Amino acid sequence: MIIGIGTDLANIDRIAGTLERFGDRFRNRVFTETEQRKAERRRDVAGTYAKRWAAKEACSKALGTGLRMGIAWKDMSVRNLRTGQPVMEVTGWAKARLEELTPPGHEAIIHVTLTDDHPWAQATVLIEARPK
């Protein structure tokens, strides 16, 4: 059963400008160390950050809150499996909200997909509740 869905579109040039203007202050406020390591290794640094920005926005929408009600940027984190598939991990308030949304006897699975085509980065997050 689907318990949440969210999508977001981010402008890569806008993220590049924010990175240029605020640098580590922006990186450290929004992105986990794992996300920063991934982005800084890539040829398209701004595009990688933009996709993760969009994923966090999409996840917050799928949780039914947007970025309000105490959810923090770093409560949502994108990492990649060995296959390259992105996965969303939640901690803190986002994890608590996910547990609140998940019906008894079910486990929550967060699906995420990322794409970009300059100047746009897009993410979709779908939260599924599966019977245990």
Side-chain angles (χ1 to χ4, degrees), residues 7-12 15 19 26-27 30-42 44-60 67 72-81 83-89 112-116 120-125:
T7 188
D8 193 69
L9 187 65
N11 185 288
I12 296 169
I15 297 296
L19 286 164
F26 171 65
R27 282 182 197 87
V30 176
F31 303 101
T32 65
E33 288 181 24
T34 300
E35 290 172 314
Q36 289 182 45
R37 278 194 308 271
K38 172 76 171 183
E40 296 299 326
R41 285 193 318 255
R42 303 296 300 266
D44 184 9
V45 172
T48 302
Y49 279 121
K51 285 186 280 191
R52 277 147 181 78
W53 170 280
K56 290 167 187 270
E57 287 274 8
C59 184
S60 70
L67 285 162
W73 286 103
K74 287 182 165 182
D75 284 348
M76 301 164 289
S77 176
V78 178
R79 68 176 182 82
N80 295 84
L81 300 177
T83 60
Q85 176 185 350
V87 293
M88 178 68 70
E89 296 175 340
V112 61
T113 184
L114 309 173
T115 191
D116 65 296
W120 301 107
Q122 182 179 14
T124 300
V125 170

